[in-house]
Amino acid sequence: DSSCSINLLSLTLLLQVRRLIESKRPPLPDISISAVQGMFLHMLAQSAPSKTLIEVGAMGGYSAAWLASALRAPGHLFSVERDPARAALARQNLADAGFGSLVTVLNEPALEAIPNLCRSMHAHCCPSPWSRATYMPHLATSFCQTPS
C-alpha cells in the first residue's frame, strides 16, 4: 500500500535528519525527542483542525521536521527559537531535509512572537516539553484566544 511506503520513506528521512543534527559541531544538548515522540507529533499535526502550527524551541529542527512531514500545502509551521545559532541551524537542517517551504524559523523570544502569530491566524501550539511550563499559561490565557 502506497501510504505505508510513504510513511517508511518519511521515517527514513527523519532519522537521517536526526543523524545530521547529531553530527553538528558543537553538539546540541541531548534533549531531542525520540522517534516515537516524533511519530506522535506527526499524528497530532495530521489531525489538527488548523493547518498552521507553532512550535516553541527549534533546537536543531528535528521535532519541526516531524511536524512538517505531516503538513501539506497550504499548511505551515512556525518554529520559534530565541538562540540565533540554533535558529540558523534549524533553518539549514529543515532546508536540507526538504521542509524549507513548510517551516519558518523565527529568531525571537517566544513571548513576543507567539502573540503576533496567534493574532493573525487560528494556530495550534505544540510546545516542547521543556518550554511547556513557561509558555502554556500565557497561551491558555491570552495569546491564542479565538478572535471575536
Side-chain angles (χ1 to χ4, degrees), residues 11-148:
L11 179 58
T12 302
L13 172 65
L14 291 162
L15 292 174
Q16 288 173 349
V17 169
R18 184 176 185 111
R19 283 192 292 278
L20 173 70
I21 291 168
E22 289 172 345
S23 72
K24 300 291 179 169
R25 295 288 177 246
L28 293 170
D30 188 23
I31 55 174
S32 290
I33 62 168
S34 69
V36 172
Q37 290 167 320
M39 288 180 214
F40 182 67
L41 285 177
H42 179 94
M43 287 184 349
L44 286 175
Q46 278 186 323
S47 64
S50 171
K51 294 305 173 196
T52 302
L53 304 173
I54 299 172
E55 174 193 45
V56 176
M59 188 64 67
Y62 183 60
S63 59
W66 277 103
L67 291 166
S69 72
L71 295 175
R72 298 293 175 253
H76 200 80
L77 170 66
F78 291 91
S79 183
V80 183
E81 174 57 61
R82 69 182 171 147
D83 181 275
R86 289 181 181 173
L89 177 63
R91 269 187 216 101
Q92 185 61 55
N93 288 339
L94 290 162
D96 291 348
F99 296 120
S101 65
L102 292 171
V103 183
T104 300
V105 179
L106 301 172
N107 178 217
E108 58 187 290
L111 291 177
E112 293 174 18
I114 293 171
N116 296 329
L117 289 170
C118 287
R119 275 189 212 105
S120 65
M121 67 191 79
H122 294 285
H124 282 49
C125 302
C126 299
S128 60
W130 48 92
S131 65
R132 188 175 298 126
T134 303
Y135 301 112
M136 285 309 285
H138 300 286
L139 294 174
T141 59
S142 60
F143 297 152
C144 289
Q145 301 296 322
T146 303
S148 48

